[in-house]
Amino acid sequence: MTHFLDIHKTDPAELRNIIDTAKSMKAARAGKLRGALDDDQPLKNHMVALIFEKPSTRTRVSFDVGVRQMGGQTMVLSGKEMQLGHGETIADTARVLSRYVDLIMIRTFEEQTLLELAEYADVPVINGLTDRTHPCQIMADIQTFEEHRGPIAGKKVVWSGDGNNVFASFAHAAGQFGFDLTFTGPAQLDPEQEFVDLARSKGSNVLIERDPVKAVQGADLVVTDTWVSMHDPQSARERRHNQLRPYQVNDDLMAHAKPDALFMHCLPAHRDEEATSAVMDGKHSVIFDEAENRLHAQKAVMRWCLGV
């Protein structure tokens, strides 16, 4: 079964094939009316289940639109509708859904939910996000970088902020795509050592630098994410703001990166918190190309999973 669970679990050659497919599918759509079907309809007569235990804008719209553009149909299900893992075991849900649909995408909290769903499903499962990783986002980010600056191999990527699930997938990608990665943020919010060690074991230079100015020197790409989750209590929000304020991506910080460095944020953003509006709307920013490429990268992931 060809699941897409995490970047480090997929062969580098296959990852490169997914990126190349995404680029070619995007190019093929250039000039088409929005919403038009692809000339090639690889998902015709396919049904895709989109499961959302966590709410979403980009993930929901990009997967739904992507399936439809490729000629397929979607069934969008919320965690409340399914009672996933509560009214019915995850294993039984996986077995039942496999009788109805051809592909499952899940956006959930616990990584174990994703892994158990994949273990018992008889159809491919895609990780739309867990609390630990967010691989589809980073596939779109790599596509975006390469559209603007060419191959990402050998480049320096700097993450400023919280060592969260998006950073984790960047670390996975560093080892698979061959770029270097620097984390700058407070020690209390360091990434899991497992993610750092895995990238280093594959030859990537992964550094932790507390000084954000030193961290971004020579950076080809600077990335950040929201400082707080929608589920964090107010006390946690205030604490994180105090911890992360020195790591805000602003014009002063970007001035220490390479002159042609790119800036990315997976969105949604709290403008003028983790990044200033001047940076988000400025010459370095490719955040809306990045958001668009979720559509193209995920279409390529779905094709790869189904072998179509």
Side-chain angles (χ1 to χ4, degrees):
M1 193 60 57
T2 308
H3 301 303
F4 188 75
L5 303 181
D6 274 314
I7 288 174
H8 70 295
K9 296 179 179 179
T10 303
D11 184 81
E14 298 295 332
L15 292 170
R16 173 50 55 190
N17 179 58
I18 292 170
I19 295 291
D20 290 344
T21 299
K23 292 176 182 177
S24 64
M25 292 184 77
K26 182 177 181 179
R29 283 199 64 80
K32 282 183 178 287
L33 291 174
R34 191 167 294 154
L37 290 176
D38 292 355
D39 293 333
D40 178 17
Q41 295 183 39
L43 264 62
K44 186 176 181 180
N45 299 322
H46 286 74
M47 176 65 74
V48 179
L50 305 177
I51 303 173
F52 292 94
E53 286 200 298
K54 273 191 171 183
S56 165
T57 299
R58 273 149 296 278
T59 300
R60 175 165 180 165
V61 174
S62 57
F63 267 107
D64 200 351
V65 170
V67 172
R68 294 170 189 241
Q69 286 181 354
M70 293 190 291
Q73 297 184 61
T74 59
M75 177 182 297
V76 181
L77 301 164
S78 71
K80 289 181 180 179
E81 289 171 322
M82 299 187 67
Q83 292 295 305
L84 188 64
H86 303 289
E88 181 176 51
T89 67
I90 295 169
D92 285 352
T93 298
R95 294 183 179 107
V96 170
L97 282 179
S98 297
R99 302 294 181 99
Y100 300 144
V101 304
D102 304 291
L103 178 66
I104 301 169
M105 187 288 301
I106 184 168
R107 180 180 171 94
T108 187
F109 295 91
E110 297 294 330
E111 180 184 52
Q112 187 56 39
T113 300
L114 167 77
L115 298 178
E116 190 171 347
L117 192 70
E119 180 181 356
Y120 290 97
D122 293 324
V123 298
V125 173
I126 295 173
N127 177 1
L129 174 141
T130 71
D131 285 345
R132 292 197 80 207
T133 60
H134 196 0
C136 288
Q137 178 63 57
I138 275 50
M139 294 297 284
D141 292 354
I142 290 169
Q143 178 186 351
T144 305
F145 182 89
E146 295 193 343
E147 284 176 350
H148 289 268
R149 297 290 183 265
I152 198 168
K155 301 298 185 181
K156 179 180 178 179
V157 177
V158 177
W159 178 277
S160 184
D162 177 12
N164 62 11
N165 54 350
V166 186
F167 175 87
S169 287
F170 257 115
H172 289 158
Q176 299 294 70
F177 286 94
F179 59 85
D180 296 329
L181 183 61
T182 297
F183 170 83
T184 186
Q188 303 95 317
L189 298 175
D190 273 354
E192 292 183 40
Q193 193 63 39
E194 172 190 334
F195 301 133
V196 174
D197 291 343
L198 181 62
R200 287 174 175 167
S201 73
K202 297 196 174 186
S204 292
N205 184 23
V206 182
L207 302 176
I208 294 179
E209 171 57 65
R210 300 296 171 209
D211 184 339
V213 171
K214 290 182 180 178
V216 301
Q217 290 175 1
D220 298 284
L221 171 61
V222 178
V223 192
T224 192
D225 196 3
T226 53
W227 289 347
V228 295
S229 167
M230 67 185 73
H231 307 287
D232 288 339
Q234 185 61 34
S235 59
R237 290 168 180 260
E238 293 173 0
R239 183 174 64 253
R240 279 176 172 261
H241 276 85
N242 291 333
Q243 292 170 332
L244 289 163
R245 195 167 287 112
Y247 299 96
Q248 181 191 68
V249 181
N250 50 41
D251 283 336
D252 288 341
L253 186 63
M254 290 301 299
H256 293 278
K258 285 184 177 179
D260 64 346
L262 299 179
F263 168 74
M264 290 189 190
H265 188 307
C266 67
L267 303 179
H270 296 89
R271 282 175 173 261
D272 299 311
E273 292 185 10
E274 66 269 11
T276 62
S277 289
V279 170
M280 293 181 67
D281 299 325
K283 64 180 181 179
H284 300 284
S285 178
V286 290
I287 60 174
F288 296 112
D289 290 344
E290 183 186 4
E292 178 190 345
N293 283 338
R294 286 289 300 276
L295 170 66
H296 308 296
Q298 289 162 183
K299 286 168 69 174
V301 167
M302 288 187 280
R303 292 193 68 165
W304 177 76
C305 286
L306 291 168
V308 294

